[in-house]
Amino acid sequence: MTDDTHHPADPAPVPVRTAPRWWSRPGPADATGPADAGEGRVPGPRSGSADAAGDGARDGVPLAQDAAAPVPRYDPWGAAPLQVQDVGPGRSGVRTRQLVALALGSALLAGGVGGWIGVLAERRSSTRLELPQAAVAPKGRAPESVAGIAATALPGVVTLHVSGGASNGTGTGFVLDAQGHILTNNHVVADAKLITVTFSTGESVNAEVVGRDGGYDLAVVKVDGVRGLRPLALGNSENVKVGDPVVAIGAPFDLTNTVTAGIISATGRPITAGGDKGDGGDVSYVDALQTDAPINPGNSGGPLLDGLARVIGINSAIRGADQESDGKDPARQSGSIGLGFAIPVNQAKRVAEEIIRTGRATHPVIGVTLDMQYAGDGARVGDKGAEGKPAVPVDGPGARAGIRSGDVITKVDGQRVHGGDELIIKVRAHRPGDPLSLTVLRDGRERTLELVLGSANSG
């Protein structure tokens, strides 16, 4: 008969517990043993892996539950389990913290080394990076291109810095001859006390006014002692057609050597600028070339060039977008909106030659006083002249041509005029002594009168 009773001499049964899976969290107590709290133990090795204790135990095999049980350790970054070490009684918590710190330090060191290697690899790879790029091309450009025109003309264009009175200003000019004469606008140097001319190379010298004309808005200044001047070639404004390409050079807002391009938008565009209308002494009357090449304050006096880098006009005025007044100052105008105006070079050439030769320019006149308040179509001859004199002096070209007070001049050389300003502009596009054909309206009938232009000195 088998004795199944328990004898006191027999050894006590050993409590056992099943090793937890790697994804388990330690519970308060498992089904076969006491709680693990305070022993610093961590879950056992992953299912299917060898027990790191080296004693042949496998997942699911009962393990002895005692204070000296081996503690499995893991790489926190997902590496293979570390070896199980017997930490001994009373040292399990300290030893575990040491091992965890060692593992974290190793991981940080590995990460730092890996990062450094990555940066080094990136730097090496970036030094080898090459993006597609065009090969170095010849520096020259076709002479008729914008770049070619600019290269030809820039050495002959200058920037003028003017000081006088309570204001300073910036304008542009260009070299006329090897003697140092420079053409610019009258309104650039009108109040000048000191004029400094700066060339495209950056060199600067002082200049003096040779002469100026407010009616044409042209002036000539001169520099002395400068060698290697590059005069610009002058074209012929009679050859200009609407749509021709043009290039403007100047110093808008003191940005020297600024090049812009556009086309001729219109020819024979009558414009006025300057002081009060009346006797015409302070007002500029120009039969202008219109261009859409951007022109801004500071471009005044600069050249407008054709496709062969020849001067066909002198940039003088712009039409800007009106800005609202703040109630204290008059409404101002903004910068370029594509409406720029240049004095035709044929007119500028004659005026410049006369200023260089005599210090002043002559104005062609028809010898009548106009009624500038006339609101009808055409230019009406006044009833009286200045200081009570006749509106049509008996010894003037108008009287010799048969013009009378009250006549309304409607055409000049067959071109319609709509007011006194336009008549003055059309007349000043000619030279003194030029013949002119005038169509006048008298007593409801039009008739044509032939006239030879007279001369009046400016100033």
Side-chain angles (χ1 to χ4, degrees):
M1 179 176 182
T2 303
D3 185 4
D4 292 331
T5 60
H6 175 68
H7 297 279
D10 293 338
V14 178
V16 296
R17 63 185 292 259
T18 303
R21 306 288 181 175
W22 70 272
W23 61 83
S24 304
R25 290 182 181 275
D30 59 31
T32 60
D36 295 333
E39 294 188 354
R41 300 184 182 181
V42 296
R46 184 172 180 174
S47 175
S49 63
D51 184 3
D55 59 359
R58 293 292 184 270
D59 220 8
V61 177
L63 297 177
Q65 184 78 30
D66 58 21
V71 179
R73 299 173 57 222
Y74 287 88
D75 182 352
W77 306 108
L82 300 178
Q83 289 187 347
V84 177
Q85 298 184 5
D86 185 358
V87 298
R91 300 177 56 197
S92 60
V94 175
R95 186 62 172 173
T96 300
R97 288 192 295 270
Q98 291 175 346
L99 291 175
V100 171
L102 177 61
L104 290 173
S106 300
L108 292 174
L109 177 61
V113 172
W116 179 80
I117 293 174
V119 171
L120 181 61
E122 182 180 359
R123 288 179 179 175
R124 289 183 176 179
S125 64
S126 65
T127 59
R128 294 193 299 270
L129 176 64
E130 291 187 9
L131 297 175
Q133 185 181 24
V136 176
K139 301 298 183 182
R141 294 292 186 269
E144 66 276 8
S145 67
V146 173
I149 295 169
T152 299
L154 274 170
V157 180
V158 302
T159 301
L160 283 75
H161 294 101
V162 179
S163 60
S167 62
N168 299 325
T170 301
T172 308
F174 62 92
V175 179
L176 288 172
D177 56 30
Q179 287 71 47
H181 292 106
I182 293 170
L183 185 62
T184 187
N185 281 142
N186 173 68
H187 73 260
V188 171
V189 299
D191 299 319
K193 302 298 181 184
L194 177 65
I195 302 173
T196 302
V197 171
T198 303
F199 294 87
S200 61
T201 58
E203 299 172 291
S204 297
V205 296
N206 291 338
E208 299 291 336
V209 175
V210 176
R212 58 190 185 87
D213 188 284
Y216 288 111
D217 193 21
L218 292 169
V220 176
V221 302
K222 188 175 186 295
V223 296
D224 292 317
V226 180
R227 297 183 179 181
L229 293 173
R230 297 277 296 275
L232 295 189
L234 303 183
N236 191 325
S237 49
E238 293 295 327
N239 298 333
V240 175
K241 300 297 182 183
V242 173
D244 283 349
V246 290
V247 172
I249 302 180
F253 301 102
D254 207 13
L255 298 172
T256 60
N257 302 329
T258 295
V259 178
T260 57
I263 63 168
I264 293 293
S265 303
T267 60
R269 186 73 80 190
I271 65 168
T272 59
D276 298 329
K277 299 177 182 178
D279 59 7
D282 297 324
V283 182
S284 302
Y285 296 89
V286 180
D287 206 23
L289 302 175
Q290 181 183 328
T291 179
D292 68 349
I295 296 173
N296 290 285
N299 275 103
S300 293
L304 187 67
L305 305 159
D306 65 10
L308 297 177
R310 301 175 302 193
V311 180
I312 57 171
I314 293 79
N315 300 318
S316 180
I318 62 172
R319 176 69 170 90
D322 293 332
Q323 297 179 343
E324 293 183 1
S325 172
D326 59 7
K328 297 179 180 179
D329 297 325
R332 299 178 179 178
Q333 290 185 328
S334 64
S336 173
I337 58 172
L339 296 174
F341 303 95
I343 302 167
V345 72
N346 290 17
Q347 182 173 319
K349 176 178 178 294
R350 178 186 70 81
V351 172
E353 289 170 344
E354 291 187 351
I355 289 177
I356 292 172
R357 187 169 57 249
T358 67
R360 60 175 58 190
T362 59
H363 294 175
V365 295
I366 59 176
V368 301
T369 300
L370 298 177
D371 179 6
M372 302 302 290
Q373 305 303 317
Y374 179 66
D377 194 32
R380 183 181 183 275
V381 179
D383 298 321
K384 291 184 179 181
E387 301 177 354
K389 295 180 180 178
V392 185
V394 294
D395 58 347
R400 290 192 290 267
I403 298 176
R404 302 177 184 178
S405 294
D407 284 351
V408 177
I409 302 173
T410 59
K411 295 180 183 178
V412 175
D413 286 341
Q415 295 182 341
R416 175 73 65 176
V417 294
H418 302 284
D421 291 345
E422 281 195 41
L423 176 61
I424 296 173
I425 289 168
K426 295 298 184 185
V427 169
R428 288 192 178 177
H430 295 76
R431 294 172 177 265
D434 285 349
L436 210 63
S437 178
L438 299 179
T439 301
V440 300
L441 180 64
R442 181 188 303 163
D443 299 329
R445 295 179 56 191
E446 282 191 339
R447 62 193 67 199
T448 300
L449 304 177
E450 301 298 329
L451 178 144
V452 177
L453 290 171
S455 176
N457 289 328
S458 62

